[in-house]
Amino acid sequence: MPSIETLSTEHAITIMDSRRQGLSHAEAHQRLQRHGPNRLPAPAPDSLWTRLGRQLNNALVWVLVAAALVTVLLQHWVDAAVITTVIVVNAMIGLVQEGQAERALQAIAALVPRTAQAYRDGVKVPLDAGELVPGDWVWLDAGDLVPADLRLLECHGVSIDESMLTGESVAVGKSTEALAQPAPLAERYCMAYSGTHLVAGSAIGLVIATGADTEVGQVSQLVSQLASQVKTLKTPLLTQLDRLFQRLSMAIVALALALFAFGVWQARLPLDQLFMAIVGLTVAAIPEGLPAVLTITLALGVQAMARRRVIVRQLPSVETLGSVSVVCTDKTGTLTQNQMTLTHLVTADQHFQVSGSGYDPDGEVSPQPWHADVQRAGRVAQLCNDARVALSGGHWQVVGDPMEGALAVFAEKTRVNTNEWARVSAIPFDAAHRYMAVLVADPDGHHQIAAKGAPEAIAALCAHAPDDLALQIEALAGRGMRVLALADGPIHDANLSGVGWRGHLNWIGLVGLIDPPRPETESAVKEILNAGVEIKMITGDHPVTASAIAREIGLPDADRAITGTELDTLEPAEWADVARHYRVFARTSPAHKLALIGALQHQHQTVAMTGDGVNDAPALKKADAGVAMGQRGSAAAREAADLILADDNFASVVAAIREGRNLFDNLHKVIRWNLPTSAAEAGVIVVSLLAGLQLPISALQILWVNLVTAITLGLALAFDPARAGTMRRPPRAANAPFLSRADVVQLLWVTALFVALVFASYHAAVATGHSHAQAQTLAMNLLVGLEVINLVAVRYSAGGITMAGALRGHRVMWGCIGAVCAAQWLASSLPLAQQVLGTADLGLVAWLWIGGACAAALAVLTAVAQVRADALTTARA
Ligand code: ATP
């Protein structure tokens, strides 16, 4: 095939065996079978060895390998075998868990919608980008991601950001003209390549390659970059914790070496036993299971959000959600249904009602007979319109913008027919100028302009506007209606980019459209406010409409709205005050959103912000949690966002915040459980060595306990559902330390309590005639019992749950506890295990003792948690 960039558009269409206005459904279907879906091949996963290498490369493993070597040199075969088992099992568990977490996140990345608009059977239809085939005609708007490699057939002011392919950061202007000769990719001005971004303009392109055949598909590095939206399993918090663990591990190794030296100097233990004790101490103290458990907790949180229709694109934002203190939201489609019905028309001298419901064109404009203005309004509504309504599955549905759909339905009701009219050019709607205008030719070839937009914007284009315009607007907007003005007029130079026509249009009238709030919005607003989170409605709509809707959804202070024009007059020093005190911001532009976020962040607020337009991208990036709309949103907004709401629904923001808070709670609980557990295991050995006491639990037994409990029990907490009251407390301060002082104090005394109980039990057992092996078995099982107790106590002390609830737990928790108990029972009673671990059978009294000690510990822990909770309540009051 010749280089397609050197062919004329006509020739390119022929070569691709396409037709004007694209393929038929049947042909597209056949080509899809032949070429396969328009998807990039999955990047090659890391090999098993690479992944295993990652698991084995950590401080703990190096300590264990060294220990295993020394035990081999000492010919302690059992110890060597146990240590090796610990290494292998740890690596295996880590491998499986990490693989699962990664798969879960990748699956969610695949949910990010990729849509395209293509002509099929001559009609523009929205499609999954995966269904595109060579020969398709694709429609692109500013903000769209180019879905396949395209030869451009039509271009209106197009510039494309091709930096990902060419490295050139400045967007390139495009045209439809063929190149004189083949040129490097960066200079193919009549082409658009898959994965690049339409920064401005609109275009129609002919698909020449899809999937792996595209330019980007041939660069495997780019493929993996594009295919995996979730790039890393790490978030700032996890990275911070990782660093903490590394430092902790280093400190533990240093402590272990010092203790070893101390032990050698004291010479109370034979060297090999001392060595094993030091190994046991090191392994117990290093929280090696923690990174895996934290990663899984995070992956579970992300999955829980996906179930609530929230797709996480940037993992760090998941953490941020827990501390969000302000939610900035747009109105149309997020708070409201985006189901528009045009119900009122107000012309210069008459007021009309429009009957009918939804997008069904059945309905009347009354009273009749009509004034000629009604037909003029209908004509403008039809001509200045990119949407259409169609009957699909027995329901009338809009293809395109819902508001334009409502205008198209209204036009039908006025019975105008503009089939013979042709559009010559257009100024597309832009949130910055708030109108849309088209230049059309009537059946006689006379040029005319049809325009619609925000009333102020249209009034500025007209020769005259009604004197009582403000009153007319208020009458409609006060009922929560979206108000739009219509105008038409002649044009002399047939050129929309000139200024000649501006200020000379003829005013036709206003239309009022209802767009009711989503049924879930009101309760979602209430829930967010209860959670101590502020809501700011930042809309492009009229202040009166915005206030009316704000009132309907229960936003306090709804009547106080500030407009973009007023914001423009503010001094920099006044922004902070305005950003804090107003809740309704109307007639704003994307630049205002950016400034408002800045002002809020300056006051240490953590800001979540929703957006859908191309121009919202900077604000979405700047917000701490940028939220794009999955359905309404432009690809540019989705690319810039951290989260995507698959259903565009404000209630999903609430779910995201709830899950974010829960995720944070669970991470916190995992750490609060893990640290005292590790510390108690290590503490038993440290105290014995320092005090020259008999080891109440042997080094091998400590290794075993660590192996059995580190990941299983901690993991149970990752599955905790959101507790009651999660959304009734204020957000966490973004700069609060992860562990509070109270947490650290608790960590210390719980460790001390557990160590004391273990020693006391060991000595009590020996004193009551148990053998050393039995006493050790008792102490080991008690330690595990206490870890389980700590699990329940951590759940309880996190609040929002009764003791019965904390005990009842959930299936995963009881599965984990059951597995640990079974393992302990085997370790204590299986003859082989007894031989290896030096355990012995325990009598009923010993088991009762363990149970009693655990119950006592639970009582102490819950009493303290209760006191702590009461103190907190009093402090808050
Ligand atoms: P929100 O920002 O809450 O989604 P919005 O949809 O009203 O609200 P914009 O899309 O910025 O915000 O629209 C601002 C105003 O521009 C609208 O209130 C309306 O008057 C006008 N407008 C919106 N869409 C069009 C359009 N397709 N053609 C002409 N005018 C439009």
Side-chain angles (χ1 to χ4, degrees):
M1 188 163 78
S3 297
I4 209 145
E5 66 273 17
T6 59
L7 304 181
S8 69
T9 51
E10 293 305 325
H11 198 167
I13 295 168
T14 322
I15 284 241
M16 294 311 296
D17 197 15
S18 191
R19 273 174 304 282
R20 277 228 83 72
Q21 304 282 301
L23 305 174
S24 65
H25 279 286
E27 177 63 26
H29 185 72
Q30 272 180 9
R31 291 192 190 191
L32 190 62
Q33 306 291 330
R34 207 158 59 232
H35 295 274
N38 175 30
R39 267 188 214 106
L40 294 176
D46 287 341
S47 73
L48 182 67
W49 296 116
T50 319
R51 286 188 293 142
L52 199 61
R54 251 201 319 263
Q55 292 301 324
L56 292 179
N57 188 14
N58 71 48
L60 179 85
V61 172
W62 293 118
V63 170
L64 285 174
V65 169
L69 287 179
V70 175
T71 46
V72 167
L73 287 179
L74 295 174
Q75 302 192 340
H76 282 223
W77 304 118
V78 173
D79 295 350
V82 171
I83 296 178
T84 312
T85 313
V86 171
I87 298 177
V88 172
V89 172
N90 250 318
M92 290 324 252
I93 294 179
L95 201 64
V96 171
Q97 310 281 34
E98 191 195 83
Q100 267 173 354
E102 221 153 61
R103 262 195 306 282
L105 295 182
Q106 293 296 353
I108 288 162
L111 296 178
V112 176
R114 279 181 68 230
T115 48
Q117 301 204 63
Y119 285 106
R120 290 282 166 88
D121 286 320
V123 178
K124 194 165 116 190
V125 288
L127 285 183
D128 175 352
E131 292 172 28
L132 289 178
V133 292
D136 259 328
W137 286 44
V138 183
W139 178 288
L140 296 173
D141 272 321
D144 283 352
L145 214 56
V146 177
D149 284 0
L150 309 175
R151 167 72 168 92
L152 295 170
L153 302 177
E154 237 180 71
C155 267
H156 305 281
V158 171
S159 57
I160 295 187
D161 173 0
E162 295 185 330
S163 53
M164 61 157 310
L165 274 177
T166 61
E168 174 56 64
S169 61
V170 180
V172 197
K174 295 280 176 178
S175 71
T176 55
E177 227 144 281
L179 300 185
Q181 60 204 39
L185 198 133
E187 291 162 23
R188 296 183 200 155
Y189 299 114
C190 59
M191 303 288 292
Y193 290 101
S194 177
T196 61
H197 238 128
L198 207 70
V199 179
S202 62
I204 296 177
L206 171 70
V207 176
I208 59 154
T210 57
D213 298 334
T214 57
E215 291 289 337
V216 50
Q218 307 195 351
V219 189
S220 60
Q221 205 186 337
L222 286 179
V223 169
S224 57
Q225 192 186 328
L226 279 186
S228 66
Q229 301 265 4
V230 178
K231 291 177 190 77
T232 145
L233 285 170
K234 292 287 172 223
T235 69
L237 178 62
L238 288 203
T239 318
Q240 198 187 326
L241 289 173
D242 260 1
R243 228 174 294 134
L244 182 76
F245 298 152
Q246 263 166 22
R247 251 179 273 148
L248 195 67
S249 305
M250 235 105 80
I252 290 166
V253 172
L255 173 79
L257 289 176
L259 268 176
F260 188 67
F262 177 80
V264 173
W265 173 64
Q266 288 263 304
R268 283 209 204 98
L269 277 181
L271 208 58
D272 54 345
Q273 276 187 36
L274 175 66
F275 175 76
M276 275 308 289
I278 295 294
V279 170
L281 153 71
T282 316
V283 173
I286 295 179
E288 75 280 4
L290 207 45
V293 173
L294 292 179
T295 305
I296 294 162
T297 311
L298 201 65
L300 286 171
V302 171
Q303 274 181 316
M305 289 197 197
R307 276 195 298 276
R308 305 296 189 94
R309 320 278 294 145
V310 181
I311 301 164
V312 176
R313 282 195 70 241
Q314 300 291 337
L315 214 44
S317 65
V318 176
E319 267 167 25
T320 319
L321 277 175
S323 54
V324 163
S325 57
V326 181
V327 174
C328 296
T329 170
D330 54 352
K331 170 180 73 66
T332 312
T334 310
L335 299 173
T336 66
Q337 300 179 5
N338 212 11
Q339 290 277 333
M340 308 255 179
T341 315
L342 194 156
T343 53
H344 290 77
L345 167 68
V346 183
T347 62
D349 45 23
Q350 212 173 350
H351 197 139
F352 298 89
Q353 314 268 341
V354 185
S355 68
S357 77
Y359 298 111
D360 186 341
D362 228 17
E364 290 292 335
V365 182
S366 53
Q368 293 180 355
W370 300 329
H371 196 272
D373 283 349
V374 175
Q375 255 97 16
R376 274 173 69 207
R379 196 171 307 123
V380 168
Q382 205 157 61
L383 290 168
C384 188
N385 201 325
D386 284 326
R388 60 189 181 83
V389 289
L391 201 54
S392 146
H395 295 284
W396 287 94
Q397 278 175 345
V398 183
V399 185
D401 176 37
M403 189 185 70
E404 294 199 335
L407 284 164
V409 171
F410 161 71
E412 291 279 320
K413 292 174 186 170
T414 63
R415 303 192 202 115
V416 291
N417 183 343
T418 57
N419 286 347
E420 306 280 299
W421 295 56
R423 187 187 288 188
V424 181
S425 61
I427 299 178
F429 169 73
D430 186 316
H433 58 236
R434 297 201 187 92
Y435 69 83
M436 167 178 176
V438 291
L439 174 62
V440 287
D442 71 12
D444 302 327
H446 297 128
H447 285 149
Q448 262 201 41
I449 290 186
K452 70 172 195 297
E456 323 81 274
I458 293 296
L461 296 174
C462 287
H464 300 287
D467 296 332
D468 62 344
L469 182 58
L471 284 178
Q472 288 187 13
I473 295 174
E474 284 217 33
L476 297 173
R479 293 150 74 179
M481 279 185 208
R482 175 182 253 237
V483 185
L484 217 62
L486 307 175
D488 59 8
I491 184 165
H492 305 297
D493 53 358
N495 178 11
L496 268 184
S497 43
V499 289
W501 58 276
R502 290 168 201 263
H504 300 290
L505 294 187
N506 303 316
W507 182 268
I508 301 174
L510 293 177
V511 289
L513 300 105
I514 51 170
D515 175 21
R518 289 171 179 270
E520 345 43 328
T521 303
E522 196 179 342
S523 60
V525 165
K526 202 181 282 167
E527 206 174 337
I528 292 204
L529 294 175
N530 277 340
V533 178
E534 263 299 336
I535 301 177
K536 312 272 174 197
M537 178 201 275
I538 309 182
T539 172
D541 216 335
H542 193 277
V544 178
T545 311
S547 281
I549 297 285
R551 219 176 305 122
E552 260 185 79
I553 61 172
L555 209 58
D557 242 354
D559 292 326
R560 235 158 49 103
I562 186 163
T563 63
T565 322
E566 290 168 290
L567 289 176
D568 287 335
T569 62
L570 292 182
E571 294 295 322
E574 293 170 312
W575 270 92
D577 211 37
V578 167
R580 202 168 48 233
H581 290 115
Y582 281 87
R583 290 207 176 84
V584 180
F585 300 81
R587 286 291 191 239
T588 53
S589 68
H592 294 127
K593 293 191 186 181
L594 203 60
L596 277 169
I597 293 177
L600 289 166
Q601 283 174 334
H602 199 67
Q603 300 170 65
H604 307 292
Q605 303 291 331
T606 306
V607 185
M609 132 112 209
T610 67
D612 51 15
V614 199
N615 312 340
D616 287 338
L620 290 175
K621 276 227 171 82
K622 186 168 170 71
D624 300 283
V627 184
M629 300 300 147
Q631 295 172 12
R632 222 163 9 100
S634 62
R638 288 203 294 263
E639 290 277 298
D642 304 301
L643 304 159
I644 296 175
L645 301 187
D647 56 1
D648 290 13
N649 189 342
F650 187 67
S652 302
V653 177
V654 185
I657 292 180
R658 191 188 302 109
E659 290 302 334
R661 287 183 172 195
N662 185 43
L663 174 63
F664 191 88
D665 285 348
N666 285 355
L667 289 175
H668 192 229
K669 278 185 279 185
V670 167
I671 304 250
R672 281 182 53 222
W673 175 80
N674 197 299
L675 291 185
T677 302
S678 294
E681 289 172 8
V684 168
I685 298 182
V686 174
V687 171
S688 308
L689 287 182
L690 286 181
L693 294 170
Q694 183 65 261
L695 273 177
I697 305 175
S698 79
L700 264 187
Q701 288 166 352
I702 290 275
L703 283 185
W704 163 262
V705 169
N706 195 66
L707 181 69
V708 169
T709 59
I711 287 192
T712 40
L713 288 183
L715 193 60
L717 292 167
F719 285 85
D720 273 1
R723 61 200 209 206
T726 299
M727 292 298 274
R728 282 199 299 277
R729 60 188 152 109
R732 187 178 67 91
N735 52 1
F738 186 75
L739 288 179
S740 67
R741 188 174 306 179
D743 291 332
V744 177
V745 170
Q746 164 118 1
L747 189 164
L748 294 175
W749 76 255
V750 170
T751 306
L753 175 72
F754 286 3
V755 172
L757 277 174
V758 166
F759 270 99
S761 303
Y762 172 82
H763 287 288
V766 172
T768 50
H770 290 79
S771 69
H772 172 62
Q774 281 179 317
Q776 279 196 330
T777 310
L778 185 150
M780 172 183 72
N781 282 312
L782 174 62
L783 182 60
V784 173
L786 290 174
E787 291 182 10
V788 172
I789 290 307
N790 194 28
L791 184 74
V792 176
V794 161
R795 298 189 77 224
Y796 175 68
S797 65
I801 190 169
T802 59
M803 194 59 219
L807 272 174
R808 209 176 312 118
H810 41 81
R811 258 201 305 204
V812 179
M813 175 177 135
W814 282 108
C816 291
I817 293 179
V820 167
C821 290
Q824 281 311 110
W825 187 78
L826 288 178
S828 313
S829 16
L830 209 66
L832 179 67
Q834 290 183 345
Q835 239 173 22
V836 174
L837 294 173
T839 48
D841 285 329
L842 289 183
L844 182 64
V845 177
W847 287 113
L848 285 177
W849 171 268
I850 293 172
C854 285
L858 183 61
V860 173
L861 285 174
T862 41
V864 173
Q866 192 60 55
V867 172
R868 208 177 135 179
D870 289 347
L872 212 62
T873 320
T874 325
R876 282 221 188 102

